[in-house]
Amino acid sequence: MTDAAARGAHRARYRRILSFAGREFLKIWWFELVLPRLGMSRVAERTRGPRMQTFARRFHTLAVELGGLMIKVGQFMSSRLDVLPPEITKELEGLQDEVPAVPTAAIRALAEAELGIPLERAYAWFDDTPVAAASLGQVHRARLSALDAADTGLEDVVVKVQRPGIDEIVAVDLAALRRVARWLTRVRLVADRVDAPALVEEFAETSREEIDYLHEAASAERFRENFADDPRVGMPEIVWERSTRRVLTLSDVTAIKINDTDALRAAGIDPAQVAEVFAEVMFDQVFTHSFVHADPHPGNIFVTPTSPTPSTPPTTPPADTTDATPGGFRLTFIDFGMMAEIPASLRDGLRTLLIAVTGRDSRGLVAAAQEIGVLLPSADTRELERALTALFARFGGMGFAELSKVDPREFRDFAEEFGDMVRSLPLQLPENMLLLIRAVSLTSGMCSGLDPAFNVWDAAEPYAGRLLRDESGNIVQAFASQAMDTMNTTWRLPKRIDDIITRVDDGTVSFDTSRLERRLDRLEGIARRIASGVLFAAMLIGGALLVPAVPPLGITLICVSALPLLHSLFAGVGRRGSR
């Protein structure tokens, strides 16, 4: 492809992403914001399910055709079971498996250009059939040359090769996502909860790191050091001599995929125990190492047996039985391109959160949410504290294991009672949380798939107790500091009140509201004209959207939209002239 053709393809890609986003924003604006204000909320509610399905199908098609970061966006959406409706997550859950492979000739050419030698010299054997094709690269099996095998002690390896031209595609996709983020800043419902531009920049940094295989190799080495003495965890070794920014060679650690429950049982491994160990390891990453594998989907985690299967007992014990977990297996992680670094501030907030839950402290829980950044400090939290107090009163006396036995209808009734209040709060998604949320979502979904009775609180309970013990000294110090602040405020309060009363008695406190009233009058007029302009746009666009489906209603809306347009243009003209 010539440079001119490539630039044309990139422009077309950019326009297609923006066109898709623009159409979907327009539909959401009309059905979720305009129709409810026109008293047609039932229409929006009745069509929401089919609209979500249509959106998911259209995005699925777009992501598969374009590839690149659109696949990553779809993967993130499919993991947000806690936020997005099932109509979207179910449609997008298999997105990664549909990525087409790059022709072998292109992969060979890129790998040879990166390594600087023909593949026949770099490897004793290179399989042209890919093991896996992902959005940013694909993986092939290979065998090291005799010399490299002698140096590294390895023989069978996997070679991860970047997709040709992926740098330019990522740049185009990020430019489009930045544009969409700027649009979102003008939607108050979104802007009050998510700093969309900051979120895109976090996503951009992660994407740039993910296409730098040397960065991934360094992350793999750091992960190895964190779990060097942990028999539960394994990871591949890096062959640095055959690795560059676009080519990564690792030891082949392929084993049983973590979600293959039939293969696990055939190997004598209990899937429920795998879920328990997996949750423990992920909590260790968050609370002990502050370095988390943020892409723990089934393709990136293997279960490696460390004891013989029941059907084929060996005559001698395996060499690694000393490293075996009680269940006779270890979890082997691969693909360290997407890692979440947990800042000290976020870790402190999570510690405060767990301590507040343990102590059934509703006010402390709200403070923790504000410290993490999920709840803005300006929020009126009185109703939230009341709701949390009721929650603790009903369920707080139970252990984590007992909570899993509570009738789900009780939780649903509680959610219905306080749902509107929670939705009205200024909640937001803070920076540095995107990858952590992805890791937690995938972990929860994986564990539930392995063990339907899995309860994440059982895995979290030991960490809550440990954090409480670690924090005991800090709690005493915090109480002392708070007591001093309260005493100082109390000491100064009488004098400040006396100063205010003296100024009122002397007549030195006065209020002039005339200028304020004039400004309010002008602002009220401007607000009315703006409202008319918005109503005109809503009726015009809504009419255009409805013409194909309900022609009479659509044409009527377009015609009637002239009335708010006239008011927006000419209201207040005579008043301005008289002034």
Side-chain angles (χ1 to χ4, degrees):
M1 182 182 293
T2 64
D3 291 343
R7 287 194 296 271
H10 292 158
R11 284 195 296 269
R13 180 186 185 91
Y14 179 81
R15 288 194 297 268
R16 186 172 178 189
I17 295 172
L18 291 186
S19 175
F20 176 88
R23 287 195 302 270
E24 296 305 321
F25 283 163
L26 191 60
K27 292 177 183 177
I28 293 172
W29 174 67
W30 171 254
F31 283 98
E32 302 298 338
L33 297 178
V34 176
L35 287 185
R37 295 194 177 189
L38 298 177
M40 303 175 69
S41 300
R42 292 185 179 179
V43 175
E45 294 173 0
R46 187 172 63 249
T47 60
R48 186 172 294 122
R51 283 189 289 111
M52 293 297 100
Q53 288 180 334
T54 301
F55 163 77
R57 282 194 295 267
R58 294 184 67 240
F59 184 83
H60 192 145
T61 301
L62 177 77
V64 171
E65 291 179 359
L66 294 183
L69 292 188
M70 294 301 101
I71 295 287
K72 292 292 180 183
V73 173
Q75 285 179 316
F76 179 73
M77 292 168 63
S78 69
S79 69
R80 293 310 310 274
L81 303 175
D82 54 333
V83 175
L84 296 176
E87 293 87 353
I88 292 179
T89 57
K90 187 170 182 60
E91 176 68 28
L92 300 178
E93 63 185 5
L95 198 54
Q96 181 66 66
D97 298 329
E98 301 177 41
V99 180
V102 177
T104 304
I107 288 294
R108 278 181 166 270
L110 189 148
E112 290 179 348
E114 281 292 303
L115 297 174
I117 57 175
L119 284 187
E120 288 74 14
R121 289 179 54 194
Y123 305 98
W125 168 75
F126 186 90
D127 190 357
D128 287 337
T129 303
V131 178
S135 57
L136 305 181
Q138 65 187 43
V139 180
H140 294 254
R141 281 196 172 91
R143 186 172 297 117
L144 292 179
S145 65
L147 183 60
D148 288 340
D151 288 341
T152 62
L154 303 173
E155 185 175 356
D156 292 328
V157 295
V158 293
V159 184
K160 189 174 179 180
V161 184
Q162 210 172 88
R163 284 179 173 260
I166 195 64
D167 287 327
E168 294 80 5
I169 291 175
V170 167
V172 171
D173 291 355
L174 288 176
L177 291 175
R178 289 187 178 101
R179 184 73 174 270
V180 173
R182 289 196 296 271
W183 291 351
L184 287 174
T185 59
R186 302 180 182 180
V187 181
R188 183 173 181 180
L189 183 65
V190 176
D192 287 347
R193 286 161 171 77
V194 178
D195 185 349
L199 204 61
V200 169
E201 290 309 316
E202 182 182 352
F203 186 67
E205 181 180 358
T206 301
S207 301
R208 286 191 293 267
E209 291 176 350
E210 199 169 357
I211 59 177
D212 182 352
Y213 288 167
L214 291 179
H215 183 276
E216 178 180 343
S219 296
E221 289 295 311
R222 178 178 172 184
F223 191 86
R224 172 185 292 278
E225 292 174 3
N226 289 344
F227 289 95
D229 300 323
D230 194 329
R232 303 170 301 170
V233 182
M235 66 286 298
E237 294 185 35
I238 309 296
V239 183
W240 290 98
E241 295 80 0
R242 292 290 177 257
S243 298
T244 70
R245 184 179 176 275
R246 293 182 174 87
V247 175
L248 180 60
T249 304
L250 317 98
S251 59
D252 189 353
V253 293
T254 306
I256 304 171
K257 289 181 68 172
I258 190 172
N259 65 339
D260 190 346
T261 54
D262 292 335
L264 291 175
R265 293 190 182 95
I269 298 173
D270 182 5
Q273 191 170 12
V274 173
E276 180 182 347
V277 173
F278 179 50
E280 291 173 357
V281 169
M282 294 303 292
F283 274 113
D284 268 346
Q285 294 177 41
V286 175
F287 290 108
T288 302
H289 305 296
S290 299
F291 191 60
V292 183
H293 193 301
D295 198 19
H297 66 74
N300 285 341
I301 305 168
F302 296 111
V303 178
T304 305
T306 53
S307 60
T309 61
S311 57
T312 57
T315 56
T316 58
D320 59 355
T321 51
T322 55
D323 292 336
T325 62
F329 66 88
R330 65 169 171 263
L331 298 174
T332 302
F333 288 77
I334 64 171
D335 194 349
F336 300 92
M338 192 182 295
M339 304 296 292
E341 189 91 41
I342 309 299
S345 58
L346 178 57
R347 191 175 185 277
D348 291 343
L350 294 173
R351 178 189 290 112
T352 304
L353 182 70
L354 281 176
I355 291 173
V357 171
T358 304
R360 292 183 242 169
D361 179 6
S362 58
R363 182 169 297 178
L365 189 56
V366 170
Q370 292 174 330
E371 182 178 353
I372 294 172
V374 174
L375 182 63
L376 295 182
S378 60
D380 184 357
T381 59
R382 287 171 296 182
E383 282 297 309
L384 178 60
E385 290 179 12
R386 185 176 70 83
L388 291 173
T389 300
L391 180 67
F392 286 136
R394 172 62 185 91
F395 306 110
M398 301 180 180
F400 287 124
E402 293 177 288
L403 286 174
S404 62
K405 301 176 183 178
V406 174
D407 188 344
R409 288 175 294 185
E410 289 194 55
F411 290 116
R412 187 168 59 248
D413 293 342
F414 185 89
E416 290 176 356
E417 180 179 356
F418 294 100
D420 292 338
M421 177 271 300
V422 173
R423 282 189 290 271
S424 68
L425 291 171
L427 302 174
Q428 64 175 0
L429 180 63
E431 293 184 56
N432 303 315
M433 286 285 286
L434 178 65
L435 294 182
L436 181 59
I437 290 173
R438 174 178 172 80
V440 171
S441 299
L442 289 174
T443 300
S444 178
M446 183 84 73
C447 291
S448 298
L450 289 167
D451 179 13
F454 175 80
N455 181 8
V456 69
W457 297 111
D458 290 337
E461 191 170 17
Y463 295 90
R466 190 179 72 189
L467 290 175
L468 270 173
R469 290 191 297 272
D470 294 343
E471 196 70 8
S472 57
N474 294 337
I475 290 176
V476 174
Q477 184 178 357
F479 273 129
S481 176
Q482 185 176 2
M484 287 297 296
D485 291 342
T486 303
M487 186 173 64
N488 290 336
T489 302
T490 305
W491 179 266
R492 295 193 304 266
L493 188 59
K495 185 176 186 305
R496 295 177 67 182
I497 294 176
D498 183 65
D499 290 343
I500 293 173
I501 294 175
T502 301
R503 292 178 63 190
V504 172
D505 289 341
D506 293 343
T508 58
V509 176
S510 61
F511 303 93
D512 183 6
T513 62
S514 58
R515 295 179 62 187
L516 177 62
E517 290 174 355
R518 289 195 298 271
R519 289 186 179 183
L520 287 176
D521 287 341
R522 287 197 295 271
L523 288 174
E524 184 178 358
I526 293 172
R528 287 174 178 170
R529 295 178 64 195
I530 291 174
S532 296
V534 172
L535 181 59
F536 158 71
M539 297 177 72
L540 180 64
I541 296 173
L545 289 173
L546 289 175
V547 163
V550 190
L553 180 57
I555 294 172
T556 301
L557 280 176
I558 293 174
C559 295
V560 175
S561 68
L563 296 177
L565 174 63
L566 293 174
H567 179 267
S568 176
L569 293 175
F570 301 111
V573 172
R575 192 185 311 171
R576 288 196 301 269
S578 64
R579 291 178 183 179

